[in-house]
Amino acid sequence: DAEPDLACVGTFVQAYLETAVVLGTPDPAEVDRLTTFAVDTLADEAVSGTDRAESLTMITSAAWLHTSGLFESELGAGTPDAYGRRRLTDGEAAAMIGGMLSDRGPNATSIYLYDNNLSGSDRWTDDAGPHLADIATAGLDGTIQDPTTAASLLRQYAFGLDGDREDEWIDYGTHSLGGQRRDRAEEWMADRLDRFFLEWFDVLDFESGFQDAPNKTTAWHADQPLHYQRSLDELRSYEGWNEPDGLMLFTDTIAKVVNDDTNVLHELLTTNTWYLPATGGSSDRSNRIFGLDTPIGATRAERWNTLPTTERAGLLTHPVWLAAHGDAFEDGPSLVHRGKWVRENLFCETVPPLELVTVQAMLLPTDGTESARQRIEASIESQAQCMGCHQYMNDLGKPFELYNHAGLVRVDDHGNAPDGSTQLLNAPDPALNRTYTDPMDFVGALADSEHVKRCFIRQTFRFFAGRDETMEDTCVLAEMETAYDDSGGSFVSMLEALATSDAMYYRTNEDEVLP
């Protein structure tokens, strides 16, 4: 209408805020302010000569400058209960569930891309409707408050199979519709699940890392080092004409475990069936980085490979993890970095920070005739002042000396047989304090440890709740463990228990706690 009445403007403002800016019921005061602004802007058309499109741009831009448009609320509403708790509103609850799955909230507009190289140029990153549409609907009709509904919606969007990998459209670019996206495994995870595993395994630095002479001490140590360096570098970067990079392959392997959703932690720490890059060109040695002497085919079936149980077991023996926590040089202190990760991420214990180190934190010089293990024993383990901290790392990292700094299996270690043995004396789980012959023996014990499982649950809580656990979270951690155990080790069942817990649905203001 040329001059819409107040009711028309109010209806537009209410609908726009509900469906495009604020999931749920917007603040009445914000509705009033935006309605007044909209009426004034429309009335100004006759004076300023602006058209309706310009007016609507002004009105909708103003909507996104509201507090609720800029910041996601999670303060709850209504009268606090006897414990000072306010339950999340319908919109807040939907945003919370959506936030466990994606950085883009429910009701966000799907991303549209135009590609003039495609015969069909109408392309969306997901359905051409609201992002996480069913969660958005549940937030608008209030059913998101029902635990069964919330759990079902989380599972619906958590993982799945997609041969076209539409979820990778943005990351891969428009030119790769028929290529690289479909070189990925068909198993996928929601963005935030993907991010959790990358951060927990702490492999994001893999892409910016460097390992000199990756083939050193391996069966191919006499082959051309430059080919191995290039193959490893290609795993560290993605270009439209290359294979999926190492982090993509790493997460595709994890996604299969999550899709199977059975004994997830155990499988993550023991599976030797990995998704690998196809081998291309005479100089490509990517297959050898994974210990394979024969090329890897280009089909999805050929990319899935089960590696020898005498060489690999789980993601901690994957070259991406080993290189991400490896030194730049083959005889460097890789075992320290790898052991530190185990202590902090599987035992949930803290290693004293480097700021407290009062001695020179360097290995003694070598002429190249000593292994990394020998260098560390001479430089660190003979020094009592060093072992105050290194006692918590070294023995946990020694099993991974079966692999070099780049994660390739050693066949010789400076004239010695590769040694992946270790003895644990100070693990928080007494059952783990024993001698281990190799990394497969070690990670198998970690996978069976109740303490490691509970640390994994705590790591999951911290990431998806966005904070550290407290004593008050004892019940929800127990509920997560029960859900995991009763479901046969389902990661998503554990997430459902967290998502529907009081810890996620309530917020507490200590000043409102009744005496």
Side-chain angles (χ1 to χ4, degrees):
D1 297 339
E3 296 181 4
D5 59 27
L6 183 60
C8 175
V9 175
T11 298
F12 167 78
V13 166
Q14 184 78 25
Y16 187 77
L17 287 174
E18 284 183 354
T19 59
V21 181
V22 184
L23 181 59
T25 304
D27 183 342
E30 291 190 341
V31 175
D32 291 344
R33 287 199 300 274
L34 186 59
T35 300
T36 299
F37 178 77
V39 169
D40 292 344
T41 301
L42 294 169
D44 190 53
E45 288 177 352
V47 178
S48 63
T50 57
D51 61 23
R52 184 57 50 88
E54 291 175 293
S55 296
L56 290 175
T57 298
M58 287 284 288
I59 295 166
T60 55
S61 297
W64 282 99
L65 293 176
H66 283 182
T67 302
S68 56
L70 293 170
F71 303 101
E72 177 186 316
S73 171
E74 54 175 41
L75 300 178
T79 304
D81 64 14
Y83 305 101
R85 306 184 307 173
R86 296 179 187 269
R87 190 170 178 87
L88 297 184
T89 65
D90 296 345
E92 290 173 337
M96 179 269 291
I97 297 295
M100 296 179 70
L101 297 161
S102 174
D103 289 329
R104 295 175 58 235
N107 243 359
T109 303
S110 296
I111 298 174
Y112 174 84
L113 292 175
Y114 176 75
D115 187 345
N116 57 15
N117 294 321
L118 300 175
S119 57
S121 59
D122 293 346
R123 301 297 303 180
W124 299 85
T125 60
D126 49 16
D127 293 335
H131 186 54
L132 304 176
D134 290 346
I135 295 177
T137 299
L140 291 169
D141 65 21
T143 56
I144 196 69
Q145 299 287 354
D146 175 43
T148 302
T149 299
S152 176
L153 289 169
L154 186 140
R155 180 173 290 274
Q156 173 183 332
Y157 290 104
F159 61 81
L161 302 176
D162 178 13
D164 289 335
R165 290 305 298 265
E166 295 291 336
D167 62 305
E168 293 294 331
W169 178 269
I170 296 297
D171 293 337
Y172 274 81
T174 58
H175 61 276
S176 59
L177 175 63
Q180 283 72 19
R181 284 193 299 108
R182 293 176 182 174
D183 290 339
R184 297 287 300 270
E186 63 179 350
E187 292 84 358
W188 59 268
M189 296 181 291
D191 296 344
R192 292 283 289 167
L193 272 66
D194 187 286
R195 184 76 182 188
F196 163 70
F197 286 108
L198 288 176
E199 291 194 9
W200 177 53
F201 280 109
D202 194 14
V203 293
L204 292 171
D205 285 343
F206 169 74
E207 292 183 331
S208 59
F210 171 77
Q211 269 80 33
D212 180 65
N215 58 324
K216 198 169 183 181
T217 74
T218 76
W220 304 287
H221 67 277
D223 200 358
Q224 300 180 53
L226 183 59
H227 290 337
Y228 293 86
Q229 197 74 62
R230 285 176 175 169
S231 297
L232 186 60
D233 287 345
E234 286 184 358
L235 284 176
R236 286 194 153 112
S237 64
Y238 172 72
E239 298 290 348
W241 50 88
N242 285 346
E243 283 288 300
D245 68 27
L247 294 186
M248 295 171 182
L249 301 167
F250 191 79
T251 53
D252 281 356
T253 300
I254 295 172
K256 185 180 188 306
V257 174
V258 172
N259 269 262
D260 293 342
D261 209 23
T262 302
N263 294 323
V264 168
L265 176 62
H266 192 278
E267 287 300 304
L268 290 174
L269 295 179
T270 60
T271 183
N272 61 334
T273 300
W274 300 346
Y275 197 71
L276 305 183
T279 308
S282 60
S283 63
D284 188 354
R285 299 293 192 273
S286 58
N287 57 312
R288 291 184 175 179
I289 290 175
F290 295 91
L292 300 176
D293 204 7
T294 56
I296 301 168
T299 68
R300 278 180 171 142
E302 291 172 310
R303 292 166 188 270
W304 282 111
N305 282 263
T306 299
L307 304 182
T309 56
T310 55
E311 296 182 358
R312 306 287 182 174
L315 277 302
L316 300 191
T317 65
H318 196 290
V320 166
W321 185 85
L322 291 165
H325 300 280
D327 192 66
F329 301 99
E330 170 275 322
D331 60 352
S334 296
L335 71 85
V336 177
H337 303 299
R338 293 164 180 171
K340 182 176 185 290
W341 184 91
V342 173
R343 179 68 66 175
E344 293 181 338
N345 293 280
L346 291 184
F347 291 169
C348 286
E349 294 187 335
T350 301
V351 175
L354 283 174
E355 300 90 86
L356 302 180
V357 175
T358 58
V359 296
Q360 189 175 28
M362 293 179 63
L363 299 186
L364 296 172
T366 178
D367 59 5
T369 62
E370 295 177 315
S371 68
R373 193 175 183 122
Q374 291 169 331
R375 294 187 69 201
I376 286 171
E377 289 171 352
S379 305
I380 297 174
E381 297 186 1
S382 63
Q383 309 295 323
Q385 66 268 37
C386 297
M387 290 306 291
C389 295
H390 281 270
Q391 63 176 314
Y392 300 111
M393 299 179 285
N394 290 14
D395 291 339
L396 296 174
K398 287 177 179 177
F400 305 109
E401 282 301 289
L402 189 68
Y403 314 98
N404 71 2
H405 56 322
L408 281 70
V409 175
R410 299 184 194 268
V411 295
D412 176 80
D413 199 354
H414 299 264
N416 303 299
D419 185 2
S421 66
T422 194
Q423 182 180 16
L424 298 191
L425 301 174
N426 59 8
D429 181 355
L432 293 174
N433 288 324
R434 63 174 179 86
T435 300
Y436 299 90
T437 56
D438 56 37
M440 283 63 72
D441 182 21
F442 179 56
V443 297
L446 294 175
D448 291 333
S449 169
E450 287 290 301
H451 182 91
V452 170
K453 179 190 70 176
R454 287 172 179 161
C455 178
F456 177 62
I457 292 169
R458 290 169 64 185
Q459 301 286 4
T460 303
F461 176 94
R462 291 169 184 175
F463 182 87
F464 290 98
R467 61 178 176 82
D468 285 345
E469 70 278 11
T470 67
M471 289 298 294
E472 287 75 18
D473 296 310
T474 301
C475 289
V476 68
L477 291 170
E479 290 166 3
M480 291 171 67
E481 182 174 8
T482 298
Y484 184 83
D485 291 342
D486 289 351
S487 63
S490 164
F491 179 72
V492 176
S493 293
M494 178 173 64
L495 278 188
E496 290 172 345
L498 173 61
T500 58
S501 69
D502 284 2
M504 299 297 282
Y505 266 87
Y506 285 92
R507 298 295 177 264
T508 302
N509 184 338
E510 296 293 341
D511 295 335
E512 295 178 332
V513 177
L514 299 179

